[in-house]
Amino acid sequence: MSARRTSVPATRQRGNVSLIVALSSLALLGFAGIAVDAGRMFVNKTELQTAADACALAAAAELTCDVSGGGVCAAAYLQNAEAAGIFVAGRSRRDFQSTAVVIAPADVRFSTALAPNANYLSRTAGAPTNSRYAMCIARFAGLVPWFMTLLGAPTQTVQSAGVATRAPAQTSCPNAPIGLCSKPGGYVIGEWIPATFQTNGNNDTVTGGFKWVEYTATSVIRDQLAGQQTVCGVRTGDTVTTQGTHQGAKTAYNSRFGIYPNGANAYTPQTAPPDHTGYSYPNKAPGSPVIPIGTSAYADYRSRQGADTPFTSNEYGVSGPGGNFSGNPSTAATHRTLGTERRLITGPIIDCAAGNSPPILSMACMLMLNPMSNGANGTIYLEYRGNTTLAGSPCRTSGLPGGPASTGVQVPVLVQ
């Protein structure tokens, strides 16, 4: 008996193939949708990570509380850190760069040590004012999938976190062309360092405890003092050039105190920003407290910064020609709206007896105490605030992060 072969009608074959193709297409579409939506979530997470890292770096840069002279850290440190982090994060964008990132104050958190994320507290939740680490969380709740929502997928939440602190840099960007002369035994935090300035026409000479220094052949002392030039890549061991005389240094120096002389080519608060305060030392009654020469003015300076106190001539402790200045001091409103931290400076410690090209021995943090007057000569003071490698150094700048052996200025670095 011969076997019978049964054939399937062509129409049924075509129907089966169509069904398989339809089911396969649906599956492929689903996989494609998953891939596209997962890719979008990945892009958003990467963008949020950038914002979180930027926020953490900006916040950590503000954690500069210095309690070496006693006392406690003011709440303003955390307030400034929170505000800086939120502002910088807001410059980033998410969702394929379509929307600005917004970080809530509760997602800017602080700790005194590198710790698990759960140990960080926001400012309003009671974070310690002497915190050294800043953590920022950037999140996007309500991400609607483009394709998977057709299959009933819910909205998604994407978030990233970054943690930063301050650590010594390999190289740094000193914010003042001032070299502090080394001395046997070193300086004590709070110590005043005097120097004599002499003015001859528009030429200003500084001698004594510190000198003008040029970091490179193209650096300009006047422009650095005015904040119009920044020199980076400076490290311990580099050689600087000391300058006895430099043209226009006085007017640039005084801009940091909010004092601007008249003239068509003079600096302005817009071209050479002042500090948050121009209040100067030594002061006298009716100033309170009265701080004499040699007594740390740092705590009072921080208080004056918080109040945007301008240079106050009747409280300035230098009388006669030493207390006269060209132009009018800036107002409190100008210090508040245009001021920044310009009187806490980083500069090299050098051997001033080693000739005109001494090497940098280390980097110091110093507070500029008073401006240069109209007199032919006078005294200006700096207050020593410690080596910049100290974790509590109140000076901050930018630079290239280094390892444990680095001896540069404290700069913000990501640690997590």
Side-chain angles (χ1 to χ4, degrees):
M1 182 175 66
S2 60
R4 298 182 59 189
R5 300 178 63 186
T6 302
S7 61
V8 178
T11 54
R12 290 181 60 188
Q13 291 180 5
R14 288 194 297 270
N16 290 338
V17 171
S18 299
L19 179 60
I20 293 172
V21 170
L23 292 175
S24 299
S25 298
L26 183 61
L28 290 172
L29 182 62
F31 284 125
I34 292 174
V36 170
D37 285 336
R40 184 182 175 211
M41 290 181 66
F42 177 78
V43 169
N44 270 272
K45 186 173 180 63
T46 301
E47 292 170 324
L48 291 175
Q49 187 66 61
T50 299
D53 290 347
C55 170
L57 288 168
E62 299 292 332
L63 301 179
T64 58
C65 175
D66 176 14
V67 294
S68 57
V72 297
C73 299
Y77 288 100
L78 294 188
Q79 294 170 350
N80 292 340
E82 179 187 282
I86 291 172
F87 174 80
V88 170
R91 311 296 291 180
S92 300
R93 304 183 74 82
R94 60 169 174 81
D95 209 13
F96 296 94
Q97 300 295 291
S98 64
T99 308
V101 174
V102 177
I103 293 184
D107 285 333
V108 183
R109 305 174 186 180
F110 306 95
S111 173
T112 56
L114 184 61
N117 289 359
N119 290 17
Y120 289 78
L121 297 174
S122 67
R123 178 177 61 84
T124 55
T129 54
N130 63 333
S131 292
R132 293 294 175 211
Y133 292 81
M135 180 180 74
C136 292
I137 302 172
R139 64 179 90 229
F140 177 23
L143 178 65
V144 179
W146 283 337
F147 292 96
M148 297 309 296
T149 188
L150 300 175
L151 301 179
T155 58
Q156 303 294 314
T157 296
V158 185
Q159 72 176 44
S160 295
V163 178
T165 187
R166 295 196 308 148
Q170 296 181 46
T171 63
S172 58
C173 309
N175 60 2
I178 294 175
L180 179 62
C181 296
S182 61
K183 77 170 189 176
Y187 293 96
V188 177
I189 292 178
E191 182 176 350
W192 286 36
I193 303 107
T196 299
F197 72 86
Q198 295 179 325
T199 299
N200 182 11
N202 200 32
N203 294 318
D204 304 301
T205 303
V206 171
T207 57
F210 49 93
K211 294 184 176 182
W212 305 134
V213 296
E214 291 181 349
Y215 296 105
T216 67
T218 58
S219 61
V220 180
I221 290 172
R222 177 185 63 245
D223 292 345
Q224 290 175 67
L225 285 170
Q228 298 179 342
Q229 183 187 52
T230 300
V231 178
C232 290
V234 178
R235 68 180 71 212
T236 301
D238 285 353
T239 297
V240 297
T241 301
T242 58
Q243 291 286 340
T245 301
H246 195 80
Q247 189 176 38
K250 179 169 69 175
T251 54
Y253 192 94
N254 288 356
S255 69
R256 299 193 176 214
F257 294 82
I259 298 173
Y260 303 90
N262 301 318
N265 298 318
Y267 296 113
T268 67
Q270 289 76 18
T271 61
D275 190 271
H276 286 297
T277 177
Y279 196 83
S280 299
Y281 307 93
N283 66 343
K284 62 183 181 181
S288 179
V290 172
I291 297 172
I293 294 173
T295 300
S296 175
Y298 177 75
D300 190 71
Y301 161 75
R302 283 302 199 187
S303 175
R304 305 290 181 178
Q305 271 194 321
D308 305 302
T309 308
F311 177 81
T312 309
S313 58
N314 69 326
E315 294 183 13
Y316 182 46
V318 177
S319 60
N324 297 327
F325 302 91
S326 299
N328 297 315
S330 298
T331 64
T334 298
H335 284 285
R336 181 170 56 254
T337 56
L338 297 177
T340 183
E341 193 158 278
R342 301 270 285 135
R343 288 171 57 183
L344 275 168
I345 60 174
T346 58
I349 296 180
I350 57 176
D351 182 358
C352 291
N356 294 328
S357 299
I360 297 175
L361 303 177
S362 61
M363 299 293 288
C365 175
M366 299 164 282
L367 171 62
M368 299 168 68
L369 293 173
N370 64 326
M372 300 170 70
S373 69
N374 280 342
N377 57 71
T379 302
I380 47 177
Y381 298 97
L382 300 177
E383 181 179 320
Y384 181 70
R385 296 308 308 169
N387 194 288
T388 55
T389 59
L390 297 175
S393 173
C395 284
R396 61 176 181 267
T397 184
S398 56
L400 181 64
S406 296
T407 57
V409 177
Q410 293 272 330
V411 297
V413 297
L414 288 170
V415 293
Q416 183 177 310

